[in-house]
Amino acid sequence: NAERLRVVYLGPALPATAVQALAPLVTGSDDGNVLAAYRPDAAGTPALALVNPNGLLMLRFGADFDVARVRQDLVKVVH
């Protein structure tokens, strides 16, 4: 399942060099506002969310998230 995982950034535009450095991250947009409920709107709200293709929230992390913990949790979800 890990090969089916896509890391998509939906925030403000990033410089092309930043996107390249963060590969396999890809940038996208939420033109239909489907993910609006997961956007940070105040301090302490999620800064990172894992949403399945059906729009179900699987994981969420605040702005101070630990990358190692995110990786551990992702491994659990995709295997």
Side-chain angles (χ1 to χ4, degrees):
N1 288 329
E3 65 277 357
R4 296 174 47 200
L5 181 69
R6 301 292 180 264
V7 179
V8 181
Y9 173 78
L10 299 175
L14 294 173
T17 54
V19 175
Q20 291 169 350
L22 295 170
L25 175 117
V26 295
T27 58
S29 64
D30 182 23
D31 295 337
N33 224 16
V34 176
L35 302 173
Y38 305 120
R39 285 197 185 98
D41 59 2
T45 57
L48 181 133
L50 175 63
V51 181
N52 77 8
N54 296 320
L56 177 67
L57 177 65
M58 304 289 291
L59 299 169
R60 67 176 150 193
F61 299 90
D64 60 345
F65 66 87
D66 175 24
V67 175
R69 180 170 169 230
V70 171
R71 185 179 187 286
Q72 291 172 346
D73 289 348
L74 283 174
V75 167
K76 292 174 189 174
V77 169
V78 298
H79 285 98

Short mmCIF file of all heavy atoms in Angstrom, two decimals:
data_model
loop_
_atom_site.label_atom_id
_atom_site.label_comp_id
_atom_site.label_asym_id
_atom_site.label_seq_id
_atom_site.Cartn_x
_atom_site.Cartn_y
_atom_site.Cartn_z
N ASN A 1 0.80 -1.20 0.00
CA ASN A 1 0.00 0.00 0.00
C ASN A 1 0.84 1.27 0.00
O ASN A 1 0.35 2.32 -0.37
CB ASN A 1 -0.94 0.02 1.19
CG ASN A 1 -2.07 -0.97 1.04
OD1 ASN A 1 -2.50 -1.26 -0.06
ND2 ASN A 1 -2.54 -1.50 2.15
N ALA A 2 2.08 1.18 0.48
CA ALA A 2 2.92 2.38 0.57
C ALA A 2 3.12 3.03 -0.78
O ALA A 2 3.19 4.26 -0.87
CB ALA A 2 4.26 2.03 1.20
N GLU A 3 3.19 2.25 -1.83
CA GLU A 3 3.38 2.83 -3.17
C GLU A 3 2.16 3.62 -3.63
O GLU A 3 2.24 4.41 -4.57
CB GLU A 3 3.75 1.75 -4.19
CG GLU A 3 2.68 0.73 -4.44
CD GLU A 3 2.61 -0.41 -3.44
OE1 GLU A 3 3.45 -0.48 -2.51
OE2 GLU A 3 1.70 -1.24 -3.57
N ARG A 4 1.04 3.46 -2.96
CA ARG A 4 -0.17 4.20 -3.32
C ARG A 4 -0.30 5.51 -2.55
O ARG A 4 -1.18 6.30 -2.83
CB ARG A 4 -1.39 3.33 -3.05
CG ARG A 4 -1.41 2.09 -3.93
CD ARG A 4 -2.51 1.12 -3.60
NE ARG A 4 -3.80 1.78 -3.45
CZ ARG A 4 -4.81 1.24 -2.79
NH1 ARG A 4 -4.69 0.06 -2.23
NH2 ARG A 4 -5.95 1.87 -2.70
N LEU A 5 0.57 5.74 -1.58
CA LEU A 5 0.53 6.95 -0.76
C LEU A 5 1.09 8.14 -1.53
O LEU A 5 2.12 8.04 -2.17
CB LEU A 5 1.35 6.74 0.52
CG LEU A 5 1.39 7.90 1.49
CD1 LEU A 5 0.02 8.10 2.13
CD2 LEU A 5 2.44 7.64 2.55
N ARG A 6 0.39 9.25 -1.50
CA ARG A 6 0.85 10.49 -2.12
C ARG A 6 0.90 11.56 -1.05
O ARG A 6 -0.04 11.73 -0.28
CB ARG A 6 -0.10 10.95 -3.23
CG ARG A 6 -0.30 9.96 -4.34
CD ARG A 6 0.98 9.79 -5.17
NE ARG A 6 0.78 8.84 -6.24
CZ ARG A 6 1.11 7.56 -6.18
NH1 ARG A 6 1.66 7.07 -5.10
NH2 ARG A 6 0.91 6.75 -7.19
N VAL A 7 2.00 12.30 -1.02
CA VAL A 7 2.14 13.41 -0.09
C VAL A 7 1.87 14.67 -0.88
O VAL A 7 2.61 15.03 -1.79
CB VAL A 7 3.55 13.45 0.54
CG1 VAL A 7 3.68 14.63 1.49
CG2 VAL A 7 3.85 12.13 1.25
N VAL A 8 0.77 15.33 -0.55
CA VAL A 8 0.32 16.50 -1.30
C VAL A 8 0.29 17.71 -0.37
O VAL A 8 -0.31 17.67 0.70
CB VAL A 8 -1.08 16.28 -1.91
CG1 VAL A 8 -1.52 17.50 -2.69
CG2 VAL A 8 -1.10 15.04 -2.77
N TYR A 9 0.93 18.78 -0.81
CA TYR A 9 0.95 20.03 -0.06
C TYR A 9 -0.13 20.94 -0.63
O TYR A 9 -0.17 21.20 -1.82
CB TYR A 9 2.33 20.68 -0.20
CG TYR A 9 2.41 22.06 0.38
CD1 TYR A 9 2.51 22.24 1.75
CD2 TYR A 9 2.36 23.17 -0.44
CE1 TYR A 9 2.57 23.52 2.29
CE2 TYR A 9 2.42 24.46 0.10
CZ TYR A 9 2.52 24.61 1.46
OH TYR A 9 2.58 25.87 1.99
N LEU A 10 -1.02 21.43 0.25
CA LEU A 10 -2.13 22.28 -0.19
C LEU A 10 -2.07 23.69 0.38
O LEU A 10 -3.05 24.40 0.37
CB LEU A 10 -3.46 21.64 0.20
CG LEU A 10 -3.76 20.29 -0.40
CD1 LEU A 10 -5.06 19.72 0.16
CD2 LEU A 10 -3.85 20.37 -1.91
N GLY A 11 -0.92 24.09 0.89
CA GLY A 11 -0.78 25.42 1.48
C GLY A 11 -0.43 26.48 0.46
O GLY A 11 -0.55 26.26 -0.75
N PRO A 12 0.03 27.63 0.95
CA PRO A 12 0.45 28.70 0.04
C PRO A 12 1.56 28.21 -0.90
O PRO A 12 2.30 27.28 -0.58
CB PRO A 12 0.99 29.78 0.98
CG PRO A 12 0.37 29.47 2.31
CD PRO A 12 0.19 27.98 2.35
N ALA A 13 1.67 28.86 -2.04
CA ALA A 13 2.64 28.43 -3.05
C ALA A 13 4.05 28.35 -2.49
O ALA A 13 4.47 29.20 -1.70
CB ALA A 13 2.61 29.40 -4.23
N LEU A 14 4.76 27.31 -2.90
CA LEU A 14 6.15 27.11 -2.51
C LEU A 14 7.05 27.35 -3.72
O LEU A 14 6.64 27.07 -4.85
CB LEU A 14 6.39 25.67 -2.04
CG LEU A 14 5.69 25.21 -0.78
CD1 LEU A 14 5.89 23.72 -0.57
CD2 LEU A 14 6.22 25.98 0.42
N PRO A 15 8.27 27.82 -3.50
CA PRO A 15 9.19 27.96 -4.62
C PRO A 15 9.48 26.58 -5.23
O PRO A 15 9.49 25.57 -4.52
CB PRO A 15 10.47 28.53 -3.98
CG PRO A 15 10.06 29.05 -2.64
CD PRO A 15 8.84 28.28 -2.24
N ALA A 16 9.71 26.54 -6.52
CA ALA A 16 9.97 25.27 -7.22
C ALA A 16 11.13 24.52 -6.59
O ALA A 16 11.10 23.29 -6.49
CB ALA A 16 10.23 25.54 -8.69
N THR A 17 12.16 25.23 -6.13
CA THR A 17 13.31 24.57 -5.51
C THR A 17 12.92 23.86 -4.22
O THR A 17 13.42 22.79 -3.91
CB THR A 17 14.44 25.58 -5.23
OG1 THR A 17 13.91 26.66 -4.45
CG2 THR A 17 15.04 26.12 -6.51
N ALA A 18 11.99 24.44 -3.47
CA ALA A 18 11.52 23.80 -2.23
C ALA A 18 10.74 22.53 -2.55
O ALA A 18 10.91 21.51 -1.89
CB ALA A 18 10.65 24.76 -1.43
N VAL A 19 9.90 22.58 -3.56
CA VAL A 19 9.12 21.40 -3.96
C VAL A 19 10.06 20.29 -4.42
O VAL A 19 9.89 19.13 -4.05
CB VAL A 19 8.09 21.76 -5.06
CG1 VAL A 19 7.37 20.51 -5.55
CG2 VAL A 19 7.10 22.78 -4.53
N GLN A 20 11.07 20.63 -5.20
CA GLN A 20 12.04 19.64 -5.68
C GLN A 20 12.78 19.02 -4.50
O GLN A 20 13.02 17.82 -4.47
CB GLN A 20 13.02 20.28 -6.65
CG GLN A 20 12.38 20.66 -7.97
CD GLN A 20 13.30 21.52 -8.83
OE1 GLN A 20 14.33 21.99 -8.38
NE2 GLN A 20 12.90 21.74 -10.07
N ALA A 21 13.17 19.84 -3.53
CA ALA A 21 13.91 19.34 -2.37
C ALA A 21 13.07 18.43 -1.49
O ALA A 21 13.60 17.58 -0.79
CB ALA A 21 14.44 20.52 -1.56
N LEU A 22 11.76 18.59 -1.53
CA LEU A 22 10.86 17.81 -0.69
C LEU A 22 10.27 16.59 -1.41
O LEU A 22 9.35 15.96 -0.91
CB LEU A 22 9.73 18.70 -0.16
CG LEU A 22 10.18 19.81 0.79
CD1 LEU A 22 9.03 20.77 1.05
CD2 LEU A 22 10.70 19.23 2.09
N ALA A 23 10.77 16.27 -2.59
CA ALA A 23 10.26 15.12 -3.35
C ALA A 23 10.26 13.88 -2.47
O ALA A 23 11.16 13.72 -1.65
CB ALA A 23 11.11 14.91 -4.59
N PRO A 24 9.22 13.09 -2.53
CA PRO A 24 8.17 12.98 -3.53
C PRO A 24 6.95 13.85 -3.28
O PRO A 24 5.89 13.62 -3.87
CB PRO A 24 7.79 11.50 -3.47
CG PRO A 24 7.97 11.16 -2.03
CD PRO A 24 9.15 11.97 -1.58
N LEU A 25 7.07 14.85 -2.42
CA LEU A 25 5.96 15.77 -2.20
C LEU A 25 5.53 16.42 -3.51
O LEU A 25 6.36 16.75 -4.34
CB LEU A 25 6.41 16.87 -1.22
CG LEU A 25 5.37 17.96 -0.99
CD1 LEU A 25 4.94 17.95 0.47
CD2 LEU A 25 5.94 19.31 -1.34
N VAL A 26 4.23 16.53 -3.69
CA VAL A 26 3.70 17.24 -4.85
C VAL A 26 2.77 18.33 -4.33
O VAL A 26 2.25 18.24 -3.22
CB VAL A 26 2.93 16.31 -5.83
CG1 VAL A 26 3.86 15.30 -6.45
CG2 VAL A 26 1.78 15.62 -5.16
N THR A 27 2.61 19.37 -5.10
CA THR A 27 1.70 20.43 -4.70
C THR A 27 0.35 20.22 -5.37
O THR A 27 0.25 19.59 -6.41
CB THR A 27 2.25 21.82 -5.07
OG1 THR A 27 2.48 21.87 -6.47
CG2 THR A 27 3.55 22.10 -4.34
N GLY A 28 -0.67 20.72 -4.75
CA GLY A 28 -2.00 20.57 -5.30
C GLY A 28 -2.88 21.72 -4.84
O GLY A 28 -2.41 22.68 -4.22
N SER A 29 -4.14 21.60 -5.16
CA SER A 29 -5.09 22.61 -4.72
C SER A 29 -6.40 21.92 -4.36
O SER A 29 -6.65 20.79 -4.77
CB SER A 29 -5.33 23.64 -5.82
OG SER A 29 -5.92 23.04 -6.94
N ASP A 30 -7.17 22.59 -3.58
CA ASP A 30 -8.47 22.07 -3.15
C ASP A 30 -9.55 23.00 -3.69
O ASP A 30 -10.27 23.65 -2.94
CB ASP A 30 -8.51 21.98 -1.62
CG ASP A 30 -9.80 21.40 -1.09
OD1 ASP A 30 -10.48 20.68 -1.83
OD2 ASP A 30 -10.12 21.69 0.08
N ASP A 31 -9.64 23.08 -5.00
CA ASP A 31 -10.56 24.00 -5.64
C ASP A 31 -12.01 23.76 -5.25
O ASP A 31 -12.80 24.69 -5.17
CB ASP A 31 -10.42 23.93 -7.16
CG ASP A 31 -9.05 24.41 -7.63
OD1 ASP A 31 -8.39 25.17 -6.89
OD2 ASP A 31 -8.63 23.99 -8.72
N GLY A 32 -12.36 22.51 -4.97
CA GLY A 32 -13.73 22.19 -4.58
C GLY A 32 -13.98 22.38 -3.09
O GLY A 32 -15.08 22.16 -2.60
N ASN A 33 -12.93 22.79 -2.34
CA ASN A 33 -13.04 23.04 -0.91
C ASN A 33 -13.45 21.80 -0.12
O ASN A 33 -14.04 21.90 0.95
CB ASN A 33 -14.00 24.20 -0.64
CG ASN A 33 -13.45 25.13 0.40
OD1 ASN A 33 -12.26 25.11 0.71
ND2 ASN A 33 -14.31 25.95 0.96
N VAL A 34 -13.12 20.62 -0.63
CA VAL A 34 -13.48 19.37 0.01
C VAL A 34 -12.75 19.19 1.34
O VAL A 34 -13.29 18.60 2.28
CB VAL A 34 -13.18 18.18 -0.93
CG1 VAL A 34 -13.43 16.85 -0.27
CG2 VAL A 34 -13.99 18.31 -2.21
N LEU A 35 -11.53 19.69 1.43
CA LEU A 35 -10.72 19.50 2.63
C LEU A 35 -10.78 20.71 3.58
O LEU A 35 -9.98 20.80 4.50
CB LEU A 35 -9.27 19.21 2.23
CG LEU A 35 -9.09 17.99 1.34
CD1 LEU A 35 -7.66 17.88 0.87
CD2 LEU A 35 -9.53 16.73 2.06
N ALA A 36 -11.71 21.59 3.40
CA ALA A 36 -11.80 22.81 4.20
C ALA A 36 -11.84 22.52 5.70
O ALA A 36 -11.26 23.25 6.50
CB ALA A 36 -13.00 23.64 3.79
N ALA A 37 -12.50 21.46 6.09
CA ALA A 37 -12.62 21.13 7.51
C ALA A 37 -11.29 20.78 8.15
O ALA A 37 -11.15 20.83 9.37
CB ALA A 37 -13.59 19.96 7.69
N TYR A 38 -10.29 20.44 7.35
CA TYR A 38 -8.99 20.03 7.88
C TYR A 38 -7.96 21.15 7.86
O TYR A 38 -6.85 20.97 8.30
CB TYR A 38 -8.44 18.84 7.08
CG TYR A 38 -9.40 17.68 7.05
CD1 TYR A 38 -9.89 17.21 5.85
CD2 TYR A 38 -9.84 17.07 8.23
CE1 TYR A 38 -10.78 16.15 5.82
CE2 TYR A 38 -10.73 16.03 8.20
CZ TYR A 38 -11.20 15.56 6.99
OH TYR A 38 -12.08 14.52 6.96
N ARG A 39 -8.32 22.31 7.36
CA ARG A 39 -7.38 23.43 7.29
C ARG A 39 -7.21 24.05 8.67
O ARG A 39 -8.19 24.24 9.40
CB ARG A 39 -7.88 24.50 6.33
CG ARG A 39 -7.72 24.11 4.91
CD ARG A 39 -7.84 25.36 4.02
NE ARG A 39 -7.80 24.92 2.66
CZ ARG A 39 -8.86 24.74 1.89
NH1 ARG A 39 -10.06 25.03 2.34
NH2 ARG A 39 -8.73 24.31 0.66
N PRO A 40 -5.96 24.43 9.00
CA PRO A 40 -5.75 25.12 10.28
C PRO A 40 -6.46 26.48 10.25
O PRO A 40 -6.36 27.21 9.29
CB PRO A 40 -4.24 25.33 10.35
CG PRO A 40 -3.65 24.49 9.29
CD PRO A 40 -4.71 24.21 8.29
N ASP A 41 -7.21 26.78 11.29
CA ASP A 41 -7.87 28.08 11.36
C ASP A 41 -7.57 28.80 12.66
O ASP A 41 -8.00 29.91 12.88
CB ASP A 41 -9.38 27.96 11.15
CG ASP A 41 -10.04 27.07 12.17
OD1 ASP A 41 -9.35 26.55 13.07
OD2 ASP A 41 -11.26 26.88 12.07
N ALA A 42 -6.83 28.15 13.54
CA ALA A 42 -6.45 28.76 14.82
C ALA A 42 -5.23 28.03 15.36
O ALA A 42 -4.92 26.93 14.93
CB ALA A 42 -7.61 28.65 15.81
N ALA A 43 -4.57 28.64 16.31
CA ALA A 43 -3.41 28.01 16.93
C ALA A 43 -3.80 26.65 17.51
O ALA A 43 -4.86 26.50 18.10
CB ALA A 43 -2.86 28.91 18.02
N GLY A 44 -2.94 25.68 17.32
CA GLY A 44 -3.19 24.36 17.87
C GLY A 44 -4.01 23.44 16.99
O GLY A 44 -4.23 22.29 17.33
N THR A 45 -4.51 23.93 15.87
CA THR A 45 -5.27 23.07 14.97
C THR A 45 -4.31 22.30 14.07
O THR A 45 -3.15 22.65 13.95
CB THR A 45 -6.28 23.88 14.13
OG1 THR A 45 -5.57 24.87 13.41
CG2 THR A 45 -7.32 24.53 15.01
N PRO A 46 -4.77 21.24 13.42
CA PRO A 46 -3.87 20.39 12.65
C PRO A 46 -3.09 21.14 11.57
O PRO A 46 -3.62 22.00 10.89
CB PRO A 46 -4.80 19.38 12.00
CG PRO A 46 -6.03 19.40 12.81
CD PRO A 46 -6.14 20.78 13.37
N ALA A 47 -1.82 20.77 11.46
CA ALA A 47 -0.98 21.31 10.40
C ALA A 47 -0.72 20.25 9.36
O ALA A 47 -0.29 20.55 8.26
CB ALA A 47 0.33 21.81 10.99
N LEU A 48 -0.99 19.00 9.70
CA LEU A 48 -0.77 17.89 8.79
C LEU A 48 -1.92 16.91 8.98
O LEU A 48 -2.27 16.59 10.12
CB LEU A 48 0.57 17.22 9.12
CG LEU A 48 0.94 16.05 8.23
CD1 LEU A 48 2.39 16.20 7.79
CD2 LEU A 48 0.76 14.77 8.99
N ALA A 49 -2.50 16.46 7.89
CA ALA A 49 -3.60 15.51 7.98
C ALA A 49 -3.43 14.43 6.93
O ALA A 49 -2.98 14.71 5.82
CB ALA A 49 -4.95 16.21 7.77
N LEU A 50 -3.76 13.21 7.29
CA LEU A 50 -3.79 12.10 6.33
C LEU A 50 -5.25 11.79 6.09
O LEU A 50 -5.98 11.42 7.00
CB LEU A 50 -3.07 10.88 6.89
CG LEU A 50 -3.13 9.62 6.03
CD1 LEU A 50 -2.43 9.86 4.69
CD2 LEU A 50 -2.54 8.44 6.74
N VAL A 51 -5.67 12.00 4.86
CA VAL A 51 -7.06 11.80 4.47
C VAL A 51 -7.10 10.74 3.39
O VAL A 51 -6.33 10.80 2.42
CB VAL A 51 -7.66 13.13 3.94
CG1 VAL A 51 -9.12 12.95 3.55
CG2 VAL A 51 -7.51 14.23 4.98
N ASN A 52 -7.97 9.75 3.54
CA ASN A 52 -8.04 8.71 2.51
C ASN A 52 -8.80 9.23 1.29
O ASN A 52 -9.40 10.31 1.33
CB ASN A 52 -8.62 7.41 3.08
CG ASN A 52 -10.12 7.41 3.25
OD1 ASN A 52 -10.84 8.31 2.83
ND2 ASN A 52 -10.62 6.37 3.89
N PRO A 53 -8.78 8.50 0.18
CA PRO A 53 -9.44 8.98 -1.05
C PRO A 53 -10.93 9.26 -0.91
O PRO A 53 -11.50 10.00 -1.69
CB PRO A 53 -9.19 7.86 -2.05
CG PRO A 53 -7.95 7.19 -1.57
CD PRO A 53 -8.03 7.26 -0.07
N ASN A 54 -11.56 8.70 0.12
CA ASN A 54 -12.99 8.94 0.33
C ASN A 54 -13.25 10.13 1.23
O ASN A 54 -14.39 10.42 1.57
CB ASN A 54 -13.64 7.69 0.94
CG ASN A 54 -13.58 6.52 0.00
OD1 ASN A 54 -13.78 6.67 -1.20
ND2 ASN A 54 -13.28 5.35 0.53
N GLY A 55 -12.19 10.83 1.66
CA GLY A 55 -12.35 12.00 2.50
C GLY A 55 -12.38 11.71 3.99
O GLY A 55 -12.65 12.59 4.79
N LEU A 56 -12.08 10.48 4.39
CA LEU A 56 -12.07 10.11 5.80
C LEU A 56 -10.74 10.51 6.43
O LEU A 56 -9.67 10.15 5.93
CB LEU A 56 -12.27 8.60 5.95
CG LEU A 56 -12.21 8.04 7.37
CD1 LEU A 56 -13.38 8.55 8.20
CD2 LEU A 56 -12.20 6.53 7.34
N LEU A 57 -10.79 11.26 7.52
CA LEU A 57 -9.59 11.66 8.23
C LEU A 57 -9.00 10.45 8.93
O LEU A 57 -9.65 9.81 9.74
CB LEU A 57 -9.92 12.75 9.26
CG LEU A 57 -8.77 13.23 10.12
CD1 LEU A 57 -7.72 13.94 9.26
CD2 LEU A 57 -9.28 14.15 11.21
N MET A 58 -7.75 10.13 8.59
CA MET A 58 -7.08 8.97 9.18
C MET A 58 -6.16 9.38 10.34
O MET A 58 -6.13 8.74 11.36
CB MET A 58 -6.25 8.25 8.11
CG MET A 58 -7.04 7.80 6.90
SD MET A 58 -8.16 6.46 7.24
CE MET A 58 -7.02 5.14 7.52
N LEU A 59 -5.38 10.45 10.14
CA LEU A 59 -4.44 10.95 11.13
C LEU A 59 -4.41 12.46 11.06
O LEU A 59 -4.60 13.03 9.98
CB LEU A 59 -3.01 10.44 10.87
CG LEU A 59 -2.75 8.95 10.89
CD1 LEU A 59 -1.36 8.67 10.34
CD2 LEU A 59 -2.87 8.41 12.30
N ARG A 60 -4.11 13.10 12.17
CA ARG A 60 -3.87 14.55 12.13
C ARG A 60 -2.84 14.91 13.19
O ARG A 60 -2.75 14.27 14.24
CB ARG A 60 -5.15 15.34 12.30
CG ARG A 60 -5.79 15.23 13.64
CD ARG A 60 -6.98 16.13 13.73
NE ARG A 60 -7.94 15.54 14.65
CZ ARG A 60 -9.16 15.94 14.76
NH1 ARG A 60 -9.60 16.92 14.02
NH2 ARG A 60 -9.97 15.37 15.60
N PHE A 61 -2.06 15.93 12.88
CA PHE A 61 -0.98 16.37 13.75
C PHE A 61 -1.00 17.88 13.83
O PHE A 61 -1.25 18.56 12.84
CB PHE A 61 0.37 15.90 13.20
CG PHE A 61 0.51 14.41 13.11
CD1 PHE A 61 0.13 13.74 11.96
CD2 PHE A 61 0.99 13.69 14.19
CE1 PHE A 61 0.25 12.36 11.87
CE2 PHE A 61 1.10 12.31 14.11
CZ PHE A 61 0.73 11.64 12.95
N GLY A 62 -0.67 18.43 15.01
CA GLY A 62 -0.57 19.87 15.20
C GLY A 62 0.70 20.43 14.59
O GLY A 62 1.55 19.70 14.08
N ALA A 63 0.84 21.74 14.66
CA ALA A 63 1.98 22.42 14.04
C ALA A 63 3.32 21.97 14.61
O ALA A 63 4.33 22.04 13.94
CB ALA A 63 1.83 23.93 14.20
N ASP A 64 3.35 21.45 15.82
CA ASP A 64 4.59 21.02 16.44
C ASP A 64 4.84 19.52 16.26
O ASP A 64 5.54 18.91 17.04
CB ASP A 64 4.58 21.37 17.93
CG ASP A 64 3.43 20.71 18.67
OD1 ASP A 64 2.48 20.22 18.03
OD2 ASP A 64 3.47 20.71 19.91
N PHE A 65 4.29 18.93 15.19
CA PHE A 65 4.39 17.49 15.00
C PHE A 65 5.84 17.03 14.89
O PHE A 65 6.71 17.74 14.43
CB PHE A 65 3.56 17.01 13.80
CG PHE A 65 4.03 17.49 12.46
CD1 PHE A 65 4.99 16.79 11.76
CD2 PHE A 65 3.50 18.62 11.88
CE1 PHE A 65 5.42 17.21 10.51
CE2 PHE A 65 3.91 19.06 10.64
CZ PHE A 65 4.87 18.34 9.95
N ASP A 66 6.05 15.79 15.33
CA ASP A 66 7.36 15.14 15.28
C ASP A 66 7.39 14.26 14.03
O ASP A 66 6.58 13.34 13.88
CB ASP A 66 7.54 14.29 16.54
CG ASP A 66 8.81 13.47 16.54
OD1 ASP A 66 9.78 13.84 15.83
OD2 ASP A 66 8.84 12.46 17.25
N VAL A 67 8.31 14.56 13.12
CA VAL A 67 8.38 13.84 11.84
C VAL A 67 8.57 12.35 12.06
O VAL A 67 7.98 11.53 11.35
CB VAL A 67 9.50 14.42 10.95
CG1 VAL A 67 9.66 13.61 9.69
CG2 VAL A 67 9.21 15.87 10.63
N ALA A 68 9.36 11.95 13.05
CA ALA A 68 9.58 10.52 13.32
C ALA A 68 8.26 9.84 13.71
O ALA A 68 7.98 8.73 13.27
CB ALA A 68 10.62 10.35 14.42
N ARG A 69 7.45 10.52 14.51
CA ARG A 69 6.16 9.94 14.91
C ARG A 69 5.22 9.84 13.70
O ARG A 69 4.50 8.85 13.55
CB ARG A 69 5.51 10.78 16.00
CG ARG A 69 4.18 10.19 16.40
CD ARG A 69 3.60 10.83 17.63
NE ARG A 69 2.22 10.37 17.72
CZ ARG A 69 1.19 11.17 17.89
NH1 ARG A 69 1.35 12.45 18.02
NH2 ARG A 69 -0.02 10.67 17.95
N VAL A 70 5.24 10.85 12.86
CA VAL A 70 4.41 10.81 11.66
C VAL A 70 4.79 9.60 10.82
O VAL A 70 3.94 8.85 10.35
CB VAL A 70 4.54 12.11 10.83
CG1 VAL A 70 3.86 11.97 9.49
CG2 VAL A 70 3.99 13.29 11.61
N ARG A 71 6.09 9.40 10.64
CA ARG A 71 6.57 8.26 9.84
C ARG A 71 6.10 6.94 10.45
O ARG A 71 5.62 6.06 9.75
CB ARG A 71 8.09 8.29 9.73
CG ARG A 71 8.61 7.21 8.81
CD ARG A 71 10.14 7.27 8.69
NE ARG A 71 10.64 6.36 7.71
CZ ARG A 71 10.72 5.04 7.86
NH1 ARG A 71 10.27 4.48 8.95
NH2 ARG A 71 11.20 4.29 6.90
N GLN A 72 6.23 6.80 11.76
CA GLN A 72 5.80 5.57 12.44
C GLN A 72 4.31 5.33 12.23
O GLN A 72 3.88 4.21 11.95
CB GLN A 72 6.09 5.64 13.94
CG GLN A 72 7.55 5.61 14.28
CD GLN A 72 7.80 5.89 15.76
OE1 GLN A 72 6.92 6.37 16.49
NE2 GLN A 72 9.01 5.63 16.21
N ASP A 73 3.51 6.37 12.37
CA ASP A 73 2.07 6.23 12.20
C ASP A 73 1.71 5.93 10.76
O ASP A 73 0.80 5.14 10.49
CB ASP A 73 1.35 7.49 12.70
CG ASP A 73 1.37 7.63 14.20
OD1 ASP A 73 1.75 6.65 14.89
OD2 ASP A 73 1.04 8.71 14.71
N LEU A 74 2.40 6.54 9.81
CA LEU A 74 2.13 6.26 8.40
C LEU A 74 2.42 4.80 8.06
O LEU A 74 1.68 4.17 7.32
CB LEU A 74 2.96 7.17 7.49
CG LEU A 74 2.48 8.60 7.35
CD1 LEU A 74 3.48 9.41 6.54
CD2 LEU A 74 1.11 8.65 6.73
N VAL A 75 3.51 4.28 8.62
CA VAL A 75 3.85 2.87 8.38
C VAL A 75 2.72 1.98 8.86
O VAL A 75 2.32 1.03 8.18
CB VAL A 75 5.19 2.51 9.07
CG1 VAL A 75 5.40 1.00 9.11
CG2 VAL A 75 6.35 3.19 8.36
N LYS A 76 2.14 2.29 10.02
CA LYS A 76 1.03 1.50 10.54
C LYS A 76 -0.19 1.56 9.64
O LYS A 76 -0.89 0.58 9.44
CB LYS A 76 0.66 1.98 11.94
CG LYS A 76 1.71 1.71 12.98
CD LYS A 76 1.31 2.34 14.30
CE LYS A 76 2.44 2.28 15.30
NZ LYS A 76 2.12 3.01 16.53
N VAL A 77 -0.45 2.74 9.08
CA VAL A 77 -1.66 2.93 8.27
C VAL A 77 -1.53 2.25 6.90
O VAL A 77 -2.49 1.66 6.42
CB VAL A 77 -1.96 4.43 8.10
CG1 VAL A 77 -3.04 4.67 7.05
CG2 VAL A 77 -2.37 5.04 9.43
N VAL A 78 -0.36 2.33 6.28
CA VAL A 78 -0.25 1.82 4.91
C VAL A 78 0.10 0.34 4.82
O VAL A 78 0.09 -0.22 3.74
CB VAL A 78 0.76 2.65 4.07
CG1 VAL A 78 0.30 4.08 3.95
CG2 VAL A 78 2.17 2.57 4.63
N HIS A 79 0.40 -0.28 5.94
CA HIS A 79 0.71 -1.72 5.89
C HIS A 79 -0.39 -2.55 6.45
O HIS A 79 -1.19 -2.29 7.16
CB HIS A 79 2.02 -2.02 6.60
CG HIS A 79 3.19 -1.63 5.79
ND1 HIS A 79 3.85 -0.44 5.99
CD2 HIS A 79 3.81 -2.23 4.76
CE1 HIS A 79 4.84 -0.34 5.13
NE2 HIS A 79 4.84 -1.40 4.36
#
